[in-house]
Structures are given as structure tokens and as C-alpha cells.
Amino acid sequence: FSGDAPNGDTGTVSFKTGDSVNGTAGDVWFAVGSSTMGKTVAQNGTLGGNVIITSGEVKDTQSVGGMVAITGGLGSSTDEWDGGDGGAVVITGGEALGGNSTIDFGGDVRMYGGRAMSSYGGNIEVISGEGVATSSGSVIMGTADSGG
């Protein structure tokens, strides 16, 4: 936690594992514990805890709010036989184990462009990866088959 600063910059909060020379650098996990009872929703179910990542607000003129960037790891080996591969970024909606085929849905994955009061809203870009020596990756969009 970084404190408030009425006349200057606030501190930085940083989470980083140590470097490893002859092993694997450690993981960083953010996780919320499981819920048995707690806050409830209208259908009398219990809500699980959320993980919310929000970048910084800025109030000055001619300014831009902070960015949230999620980037897969760099595979930096340049070995020509089997060099490093870039790490994937996976965003997955939550699995639903409920037995009601009408109301127990899997979690959605939603992407929204940013709202603009006076100009155009933010774009949603889905762009495949560049293949420097070959073709670029595919953009694949589709729906899963239904169960019935």
C-alpha cells in the first residue's frame, strides 16, 4: 500500500520475484480465497471475491489515464533449432458447475473499448502475431458447439 501525498508523487507498489540463474524464477499469484457464505446475490447465491485491476485516474487537462497492460513473457532464446517462444495471455471466463441447464452459465469474457464524451470511443483490436520469417498468425473467432 502506498500512502497519499498532498504535495507530490505517491510511492510505487511493486511485486517482483527474484532472478534465477540455474532455475525458474518464481511466480506471482494474486488469488482470492473460496467462499462458503458471505455477500449474496438476488437469487440467494453467494458471491465469490473479485480481483480488480484498475489503472490510475488523472485529473489534469491534456492528460491520459493510466494503462493496464497484460503481456505474455518474452522467450528470448535466439537458438535457431528451438529458441524461445513468447508466453500466451489467456483470459478465460469462469467455469460453471451448476446443474441447471437454463441458468447455470459459464462466465463471459467481455472486451469494451473506452467511452469518450466528445470524440470516438476506443477501438477493440484483435490482431494476430507477426511471423517475421513466415506468415502471421490467424485470427480465429467462433462459438462453441451447443450441448443439445
Side-chain angles (χ1 to χ4, degrees), residues 103-115:
I103 61 171
D104 292 330
F105 313 116
D108 295 335
V109 173
R110 300 179 181 139
M111 297 188 301
Y112 301 95
R115 179 178 180 207

Side-chain angles (χ1 to χ4, degrees), residues 49-61:
N50 299 316
V51 174
I52 300 170
I53 301 172
T54 304
S55 61
E57 174 186 0
V58 62
K59 297 179 182 179
D60 196 9
T61 60

Side-chain angles (χ1 to χ4, degrees), residues 72-85:
L74 171 67
S76 61
S77 171
T78 58
D79 183 82
E80 65 185 62
W81 296 105
D82 192 4
D85 295 340

Side-chain angles (χ1 to χ4, degrees), residues 63-102:
S63 57
V64 178
M67 179 178 69
V68 173
I70 302 173
T71 305
L74 171 67
S76 61
S77 171
T78 58
D79 183 82
E80 65 185 62
W81 296 105
D82 192 4
D85 295 340
V89 173
V90 178
I91 302 173
T92 306
E95 181 177 1
L97 299 179
N100 188 315
S101 64
T102 305

Side-chain angles (χ1 to χ4, degrees), residues 8-31:
D9 298 339
T10 62
T12 298
V13 176
S14 177
F15 296 94
K16 181 185 181 296
T17 64
D19 296 333
S20 176
V21 175
N22 292 314
T24 302
D27 296 332
V28 176
W29 285 71
F30 294 97

